[in-house]
Amino acid sequence: MVTADWLDIGPVEQLPALGARTLPVQGGEEIAIFRCANGDVYALVNKCPHKQGPLSQGIVHDTTVTCPLHNWRISLVSGQALGDDSGCVPTIPVKIDGGRILIGRKEALASVS
């Protein structure tokens, strides 16, 4: 389902708990979609603010992901680096409707351009 504001990217059950999948977008960039243990789903641009590591390959715990390159922890809620690290990853609005994951179309396209 595609609407003017939201893009349906698939059923929630295809995204494993404490896991991630990527969604390619224009310009060869990617958005990472994460599912927490409690079922919450978040989306971020798939680049750590430190060395652009692929966050989708990191370890998800609670509402954070640890970058696989240098262990920076990134909040899935805000996109902010945590602890002593500083930087921010653009977040993409997510909602669940009828068991389907929807992401904000305009924000997804704008965040990677």
Side-chain angles (χ1 to χ4, degrees), residues 22 30-32 34 44-48 52-57 89:
T22 59
E30 290 181 329
I31 293 173
F34 300 91
L44 303 172
V45 171
N46 193 28
K47 286 184 179 179
C48 178
Q52 282 64 60
L55 294 174
S56 62
Q57 295 176 23
V89 178

Side-chain angles (χ1 to χ4, degrees), residues 101-112:
I101 301 170
L102 305 167
I103 63 170
R105 176 188 278 282
K106 290 182 278 190
E107 294 88 352
L109 296 176
S111 65
V112 294

Side-chain angles (χ1 to χ4, degrees), residues 55-91:
L55 294 174
S56 62
Q57 295 176 23
I59 297 171
V60 178
H61 35 92
D62 296 322
T63 57
T64 64
V65 61
T66 301
C67 178
L69 294 185
H70 298 101
N71 295 322
W72 277 36
R73 287 183 346 162
I74 306 296
S75 167
L76 296 174
V77 177
S78 67
Q80 289 289 330
L82 303 173
D84 293 335
D85 302 318
S86 64
C88 190
V89 178
T91 60

Side-chain angles (χ1 to χ4, degrees), residues 1-24:
M1 172 174 103
V2 177
T3 68
D5 295 326
W6 296 94
L7 178 64
D8 182 330
I9 60 169
V12 172
E13 65 266 7
Q14 286 187 347
L15 187 59
L18 299 177
R21 297 286 187 261
T22 59
L23 175 69

